[in-house]
Structure formats: C-alpha cells, structure tokens
Amino acid sequence: MSRIPGSNGEKTLKAIYAAATDLIYLNGFEAVSLRQLAGAVGIQAGSLYNHIASKQDLLYKLTLEIMLEHNAAIDEALRGRDDPAEALMAFTRSHITYYASRKKQVFIGNFELRSLTGDHYKQIVLLRDQYEKRLVSILEKGAEQGCWAKSDMRVTAKALIAMMTGVCMWYDPKGDYSIDELVRHYQDLVMGGVRQGSV
C-alpha cells in the first residue's frame, strides 16, 4: 500500500487504528506484527512509534475506545427510564444494535481481552464490570417490583450478556435480518427468559 498522501498525525493514527482493527479481527492479536500493520497503513515500521507506544498499548487504546463508547451508548439508552421492563428492553436494543453494527470492534473488545496485561487488563475489566452492573441493577429492581422471577441476577446478567454478545459472531447486515428485526427477536427472548426464570 502506498503512503497516505498528505497525511498528518491524526489521520495517520486513525488509519493505524482502522488497519489494526481489520488485521486483528482477521488474524488475531498475537498473529499481527507491527511490520504487517505498518505495511497496511503505508508507512515504515519504525514510524509507528511516532503514533503508538507499543503493540500492547495499541490493543489497550482500541479496547478502551470500544468500552467507553459502549458504556456511553448504554448510559444514553437508559437515561430517564425508571420502569425496569422498559429499561431492560432499552438495554437489549442498545447492546444488540452496538454489537451488530460494530462486529470487528466488539469482537476485539471481547475476545482479545485475554491479550491485555497488567493495568491495561484491569482497567478494561473494570469498565466491563460497570456495564454488567447496569444490567444487574435493572434485573434486581424488576424482581423487587414483581416484573419477573427472582433469581441470582448476577448470573442472569452474565447469561443474557453472553447470549446477546454472540450476535457479533454471526450477524450479517446483508443477510435475512435487519438490525431492528434482530432487536425485536432478542427483546422477546430476554423478556421471556426473565419472566419465566429460565435464564
């Protein structure tokens, strides 16, 4: 690939992030070399260090951006929604929409988390736990108000998130379902599950 014409630092960094996302999604983090990444962007391998501190730091920045955006999206979706059933439907819509429309990013955020180390890993796990606690809170409030069956809501939240997260593995926007159709189907699954106590 030829050098990006007239690129500045910000444009080059965006190009690095975009190329890294594609390469990691296709090959896995451990299999991607910085030389390979530089070639995809159209710069010399040594020039990468003008934009990133290390390969580990690159993965951390990619994952951090994903988690912050994801948490911000759920905050916006839940704003002003005090009814637990309404909040649960909003949570499901936000999660499915985000995961179906950003397959590469969320795949990296979930399945390459194992490659983060030290404080990088701890910070991303903290953000992930904060996201999960939002769902636990909704489920516990709904159970208290008799909206659905009482159970261990931490386990229920983990089960629901795992089910919804899997959409990034198979959803094809060119396939048989629109995102809105997908959302409605998952909302039915989630609500049916918690009301019957089967998740």
Side-chain angles (χ1 to χ4, degrees), residues 24 56-70 98 105 108-110 112-113 116 120 124-125 127:
I24 295 170
Q56 171 69 202
D57 184 66
L58 173 62
L59 179 62
Y60 167 66
K61 294 290 178 55
L62 287 175
T63 310
L64 179 63
E65 182 178 9
I66 293 162
M67 292 305 301
L68 290 175
E69 187 179 61
H70 193 22
Y98 191 88
Q105 290 85 349
I108 292 169
N110 282 275
E112 294 296 348
L113 180 62
L116 289 173
H120 288 167
I124 299 304
V125 168
L127 289 171

Side-chain angles (χ1 to χ4, degrees), residues 51-91:
H51 307 280
I52 62 172
S54 64
K55 184 180 170 184
Q56 171 69 202
D57 184 66
L58 173 62
L59 179 62
Y60 167 66
K61 294 290 178 55
L62 287 175
T63 310
L64 179 63
E65 182 178 9
I66 293 162
M67 292 305 301
L68 290 175
E69 187 179 61
H70 193 22
N71 281 11
I74 207 66
D75 286 343
E76 179 62 28
L78 295 177
R79 185 169 290 114
R81 299 185 186 275
D82 295 324
D83 177 72
E86 184 181 342
L88 183 56
M89 293 299 92
F91 187 101

Side-chain angles (χ1 to χ4, degrees), residues 55-181:
K55 184 180 170 184
Q56 171 69 202
D57 184 66
L58 173 62
L59 179 62
Y60 167 66
K61 294 290 178 55
L62 287 175
T63 310
L64 179 63
E65 182 178 9
I66 293 162
M67 292 305 301
L68 290 175
E69 187 179 61
H70 193 22
N71 281 11
I74 207 66
D75 286 343
E76 179 62 28
L78 295 177
R79 185 169 290 114
R81 299 185 186 275
D82 295 324
D83 177 72
E86 184 181 342
L88 183 56
M89 293 299 92
F91 187 101
T92 303
R93 172 173 288 279
S94 179
H95 191 100
I96 294 300
T97 300
Y98 191 88
Y99 272 66
S101 61
R102 295 168 177 80
K103 286 183 63 173
K104 294 177 182 179
Q105 290 85 349
V106 297
F107 182 90
I108 292 169
N110 282 275
F111 299 105
E112 294 296 348
L113 180 62
R114 61 192 173 185
S115 295
L116 289 173
T117 59
D119 288 341
H120 288 167
Y121 177 83
K122 292 177 183 177
Q123 290 177 34
I124 299 304
V125 168
L126 178 62
L127 289 171
R128 185 188 65 182
D129 289 348
Q130 289 172 355
Y131 182 85
E132 184 179 297
K133 286 176 181 177
R134 299 297 301 276
L135 180 55
V136 172
S137 178
I138 293 168
L139 293 170
E140 288 180 340
K141 184 176 180 180
E144 290 170 2
Q145 294 183 9
C147 299
W148 43 70
K150 292 183 178 180
S151 64
D152 187 328
M153 291 311 181
R154 289 177 299 173
V155 174
T156 300
K158 290 180 185 296
L160 291 176
I161 288 173
M163 177 184 72
M164 292 188 290
T165 295
V167 75
C168 76
M169 300 288 289
W170 63 267
Y171 179 67
D172 181 356
K174 298 178 182 178
D176 296 333
Y177 304 98
S178 69
I179 290 180
D180 281 342
E181 289 171 331

